Amino acid sequence: MEQQRVFVYSYNETNNTTAIRVSTFSTEAQDNFPITFVVRQQEGILSWTVPVSAGFDYKLQSMDRTLCPMDKTKKLNMTSQQSIFVTVATMSNTVVNFNLMANILPDFELE
């Protein structure tokens, strides 16, 4: 039995360079039935699973991903209202609890 949910996060794009940090966490997700997170935004798709293997004996129960800011030249052709879609799915037969959070990172800049 597959369980799937879709979350929509909306925000207003400004003249500042902003990025979105998506944080995920689950202590109940299992290796044989992981939770898959798929993020869709205007310029692409990003996906990962929880738990994440970090070696043979160590599993990470959380994962944060930063969505790249919109290219400034493309901002001219878009509306200020933006949305990202997060699909959360698992093939587990039991309910698997998880935490999902999206935060705006204002004035985001990589050096």
Side-chain angles (χ1 to χ4, degrees):
M1 172 176 96
E2 180 179 353
Q3 302 174 55
Q4 179 173 294
R5 293 185 184 245
V6 177
F7 298 88
V8 180
Y9 292 93
S10 297
Y11 65 98
N12 286 321
E13 184 66 46
T14 64
N15 288 331
N16 297 333
T17 303
T18 58
I20 306 294
R21 165 90 31 89
V22 178
S23 301
T24 58
F25 174 78
S26 176
T27 57
E28 298 178 8
Q30 301 296 317
D31 288 338
N32 54 340
F33 293 110
I35 299 175
T36 301
F37 296 90
V38 178
V39 178
R40 291 181 294 128
Q41 59 183 18
Q42 182 172 333
E43 291 191 325
I45 296 175
L46 180 63
S47 66
W48 63 93
T49 59
V50 170
V52 177
S53 294
F56 291 104
D57 296 328
Y58 192 68
K59 306 287 182 210
L60 298 173
Q61 298 302 125
S62 65
M63 175 65 73
D64 293 353
R65 300 302 291 260
T66 302
L67 308 180
C68 291
M70 190 72 63
D71 183 304
K72 289 186 183 226
T73 59
K74 294 182 181 177
K75 282 186 179 183
L76 300 174
N77 298 324
M78 64 180 225
T79 63
S80 61
Q81 181 68 26
Q82 292 294 301
S83 296
I84 62 170
F85 299 85
V86 182
T87 303
V88 183
T90 182
M91 298 295 283
S92 177
N93 289 327
T94 61
V95 173
V96 180
N97 292 310
F98 63 90
N99 291 339
L100 170 66
M101 184 169 44
N103 291 309
I104 294 176
L105 304 175
D107 296 326
F108 183 82
E109 185 175 325
L110 291 176
E111 295 186 22

